[in-house]
PDB file of all heavy atoms in Angstrom:
ATOM      1  N   HIS A  76      14.860  53.110 -24.148  1.00 91.00           N
ATOM      2  CA  HIS A  76      15.674  54.221 -23.606  1.00 91.00           C
ATOM      3  C   HIS A  76      16.804  53.657 -22.826  1.00 91.00           C
ATOM      4  O   HIS A  76      16.655  52.594 -22.198  1.00 91.00           O
ATOM      5  CB  HIS A  76      14.957  55.199 -22.850  1.00 91.00           C
ATOM      6  CG  HIS A  76      14.205  56.221 -23.558  1.00 91.00           C
ATOM      7  ND1 HIS A  76      13.521  57.264 -23.057  1.00 91.00           N
ATOM      8  CD2 HIS A  76      14.119  56.434 -24.946  1.00 91.00           C
ATOM      9  CE1 HIS A  76      12.890  58.022 -24.014  1.00 91.00           C
ATOM     10  NE2 HIS A  76      13.345  57.559 -25.148  1.00 91.00           N
ATOM     11  N   THR A  78      19.288  55.070 -19.581  1.00 84.00           N
ATOM     12  CA  THR A  78      19.683  56.202 -18.644  1.00 84.00           C
ATOM     13  C   THR A  78      21.097  56.111 -18.312  1.00 84.00           C
ATOM     14  O   THR A  78      21.486  54.981 -17.888  1.00 84.00           O
ATOM     15  CB  THR A  78      18.848  56.131 -17.390  1.00 84.00           C
ATOM     16  OG1 THR A  78      17.406  56.184 -17.713  1.00 84.00           O
ATOM     17  CG2 THR A  78      19.015  57.276 -16.411  1.00 84.00           C
ATOM     18  N   MET A  88      18.765  60.615 -20.388  1.00 79.00           N
ATOM     19  CA  MET A  88      18.119  59.546 -21.053  1.00 79.00           C
ATOM     20  C   MET A  88      18.480  59.633 -22.570  1.00 79.00           C
ATOM     21  O   MET A  88      18.604  60.672 -23.181  1.00 79.00           O
ATOM     22  CB  MET A  88      16.597  59.584 -21.083  1.00 79.00           C
ATOM     23  CG  MET A  88      16.075  59.117 -19.638  1.00 79.00           C
ATOM     24  SD  MET A  88      14.329  58.648 -19.765  1.00 79.00           S
ATOM     25  CE  MET A  88      13.526  60.150 -20.397  1.00 79.00           C
ATOM     26  N   HIS A 110      15.403  51.166 -20.208  1.00 94.00           N
ATOM     27  CA  HIS A 110      14.072  50.928 -19.925  1.00 94.00           C
ATOM     28  C   HIS A 110      13.186  51.116 -21.011  1.00 94.00           C
ATOM     29  O   HIS A 110      13.440  51.594 -22.102  1.00 94.00           O
ATOM     30  CB  HIS A 110      13.554  52.024 -18.714  1.00 94.00           C
ATOM     31  CG  HIS A 110      13.767  53.452 -19.111  1.00 94.00           C
ATOM     32  ND1 HIS A 110      15.045  53.981 -18.890  1.00 94.00           N
ATOM     33  CD2 HIS A 110      12.988  54.331 -19.759  1.00 94.00           C
ATOM     34  CE1 HIS A 110      14.917  55.210 -19.281  1.00 94.00           C
ATOM     35  NE2 HIS A 110      13.865  55.443 -19.794  1.00 94.00           N
ATOM     36  N   LEU A 111      12.014  50.510 -20.915  1.00 96.00           N
ATOM     37  CA  LEU A 111      10.930  50.766 -21.916  1.00 96.00           C
ATOM     38  C   LEU A 111      10.286  52.058 -21.513  1.00 96.00           C
ATOM     39  O   LEU A 111       9.968  52.169 -20.391  1.00 96.00           O
ATOM     40  CB  LEU A 111       9.957  49.514 -21.773  1.00 96.00           C
ATOM     41  CG  LEU A 111       8.739  49.602 -22.610  1.00 96.00           C
ATOM     42  CD1 LEU A 111       8.863  49.510 -24.053  1.00 96.00           C
ATOM     43  CD2 LEU A 111       7.733  48.483 -21.964  1.00 96.00           C
ATOM     44  N   MET A 112       9.992  52.849 -22.599  1.00 93.00           N
ATOM     45  CA  MET A 112       9.369  54.143 -22.295  1.00 93.00           C
ATOM     46  C   MET A 112       8.128  54.213 -23.063  1.00 93.00           C
ATOM     47  O   MET A 112       8.108  54.138 -24.281  1.00 93.00           O
ATOM     48  CB  MET A 112      10.318  55.219 -22.714  1.00 93.00           C
ATOM     49  CG  MET A 112       9.869  56.582 -22.615  1.00 93.00           C
ATOM     50  SD  MET A 112      10.712  57.427 -21.219  1.00 93.00           S
ATOM     51  CE  MET A 112      10.418  59.090 -21.571  1.00 93.00           C
TER      52      MET A 112
ATOM     53  N   PRO B  74      10.046  59.533 -16.581  1.00 77.00           N
ATOM     54  CA  PRO B  74       9.321  58.339 -16.351  1.00 77.00           C
ATOM     55  C   PRO B  74      10.073  57.295 -15.405  1.00 77.00           C
ATOM     56  O   PRO B  74       9.475  56.429 -14.856  1.00 77.00           O
ATOM     57  CB  PRO B  74       9.131  57.707 -17.627  1.00 77.00           C
ATOM     58  CG  PRO B  74      10.411  58.217 -18.457  1.00 77.00           C
ATOM     59  CD  PRO B  74      10.770  59.417 -17.803  1.00 77.00           C
ATOM     60  N   ASP B  75      11.351  57.454 -15.421  1.00 83.00           N
ATOM     61  CA  ASP B  75      12.114  56.275 -14.875  1.00 83.00           C
ATOM     62  C   ASP B  75      12.517  56.545 -13.376  1.00 83.00           C
ATOM     63  O   ASP B  75      11.893  55.907 -12.499  1.00 83.00           O
ATOM     64  CB  ASP B  75      13.390  56.101 -15.800  1.00 83.00           C
ATOM     65  CG  ASP B  75      14.346  55.039 -15.363  1.00 83.00           C
ATOM     66  OD1 ASP B  75      13.799  54.106 -14.719  1.00 83.00           O
ATOM     67  OD2 ASP B  75      15.565  55.022 -15.524  1.00 83.00           O
TER      68      ASP B  75
HETATM   69 CU1   CU C   1      12.984  57.158 -20.958  1.00 93.95          CU
END
Side-chain angles (χ1 to χ4, degrees):
Chain A
H76 277 181
T78 303
M88 290 200 301
H110 56 274
L111 166 74
M112 175 104 162
Chain B
D75 181 22

